[in-house]
Amino acid sequence: EPEVTQTPSHQVTQMGQEVILRCVPISNHLYFYWYRQILGQKVEFLVSFYNNEISEKSEIFDDQFSVERPDGSNFTLKIRSTKLEDSAMYFCASKAGNNEQFFGPGTRLTVL
Amino acid sequence: GEDVEQSLFLSVREGDSSVINCTYTDSSSTYLYWYKQEPGAGLQLLTYIFSNMDMKQDQRLTVLLNKKDKHLSLRIADTQTGDSAIYFCAEMWVDSSYKLIFGSGTRLLVRP
């Protein structure tokens, strides 16, 4: 069964460093998302991407964040200069034309 | 506003039914979802319901929707220890980018 994959599963970085989180959405899906979950808190929407552009972003998604779909399969989230408060689990999700949104296993980002 | 509310904790005995409740915001043409998150894992889509439906049944899972009160529930019949997890309800706003707004999650503990 097709699934969303994410790499790495765990990323440790120093404050101020750039990180790139990678996702491979399900191949025939059209809508792509990033969410994050700070430990013990709810899952929060960051950004949605459709037709090769951002369709919506939350107030969390400031200038330090960017997304890209560099080829036909990968979908990346870049954090330019990480802060301690960026430590969280980051989930990628994708959706086809129906309304089932499937999530990847997540990348745990730890900023030291 | 964007706010989905859930009770935080539920404990049941193995074999009993579990009922997890959620209230959601009022937005047009909403789909409502239930996701399961096991410790350290991603979000598994369990089921979803369109807001013009009252009920949906899928094996041991029954979703009930009360549109008047904006109340959603997930009933798990014959609850097993493997059902112990955090259950998130989520609302999809189809007039935006189809993003999901999550509740804070209900931790279900199934006692043997």
Side-chain angles (χ1 to χ4, degrees):
Chain A
E1 188 171 323
E3 57 183 15
V4 178
T5 59
Q6 291 186 242
T7 54
S9 56
H10 191 190
Q11 173 91 49
V12 181
T13 190
Q14 296 290 327
M15 191 169 56
Q17 295 295 304
E18 174 183 288
V19 294
I20 297 176
L21 310 183
R22 302 181 192 280
C23 169
V24 179
I26 295 172
S27 63
N28 62 342
H29 283 190
L30 303 173
Y31 300 83
F32 313 110
Y33 305 85
W34 283 100
Y35 294 82
R36 80 171 185 190
Q37 184 183 29
I38 294 171
L39 186 64
Q41 297 186 24
K42 64 171 70 176
V43 178
E44 303 172 286
F45 166 77
L46 291 179
V47 65
S48 59
F49 193 87
Y50 171 72
N51 201 25
N52 284 318
E53 60 182 18
I54 290 174
S55 50
E56 187 175 353
K57 58 185 180 179
S58 72
E59 58 191 29
I60 302 168
F61 195 88
D62 62 22
D63 292 344
Q64 294 300 312
F65 291 86
S66 62
V67 290
E68 199 176 33
R69 189 157 162 80
D71 51 42
S73 60
N74 290 283
F75 180 51
T76 62
L77 174 70
K78 182 194 290 186
I79 308 175
R80 210 157 286 123
S81 177
T82 49
K83 303 187 283 287
L84 294 176
E85 54 264 38
D86 293 328
S87 293
M89 187 76 117
Y90 287 81
F91 292 106
C92 172
S94 69
K95 184 177 90 65
N98 63 13
N99 292 295
E100 295 180 339
Q101 195 167 131
F102 292 96
F103 283 73
T107 292
R108 180 172 297 284
L109 176 65
T110 302
V111 182
L112 302 175
Chain B
E2 300 178 354
D3 212 5
V4 180
E5 302 283 347
Q6 293 181 244
S7 51
L8 291 181
F9 184 73
L10 176 66
S11 177
V12 300
R13 192 165 294 182
E14 190 175 18
D16 288 350
S17 292
S18 307
V19 179
I20 302 170
N21 295 300
C22 171
T23 56
Y24 63 96
T25 61
D26 188 15
S27 60
S28 60
S29 302
T30 295
Y31 285 83
L32 298 143
Y33 298 78
W34 286 102
Y35 284 86
K36 176 183 180 183
Q37 186 180 38
E38 296 183 74
L43 297 162
Q44 176 194 353
L45 176 62
L46 291 177
T47 187
Y48 67 98
I49 188 170
F50 186 51
S51 59
N52 69 353
M53 297 169 63
D54 296 322
M55 186 184 92
K56 181 177 180 182
Q57 185 152 5
D58 185 0
Q59 299 181 333
R60 291 191 298 124
L61 305 179
T62 303
V63 179
L64 294 178
L65 179 59
N66 180 330
K67 291 180 284 295
K68 175 175 166 291
D69 295 336
K70 302 190 214 66
H71 182 264
L72 180 75
S73 67
L74 174 70
R75 179 176 180 270
I76 306 173
D78 186 25
T79 315
Q80 303 297 305
T81 54
D83 294 324
S84 292
I86 300 176
Y87 291 80
F88 291 93
C89 71
E91 180 181 26
M92 175 185 282
W93 287 41
V94 297
D95 55 350
S96 67
S97 61
Y98 305 100
K99 69 183 181 189
L100 296 183
I101 304 300
F102 283 83
S104 52
T106 298
R107 181 177 297 276
L108 174 65
L109 175 67
V110 183
R111 309 185 307 274

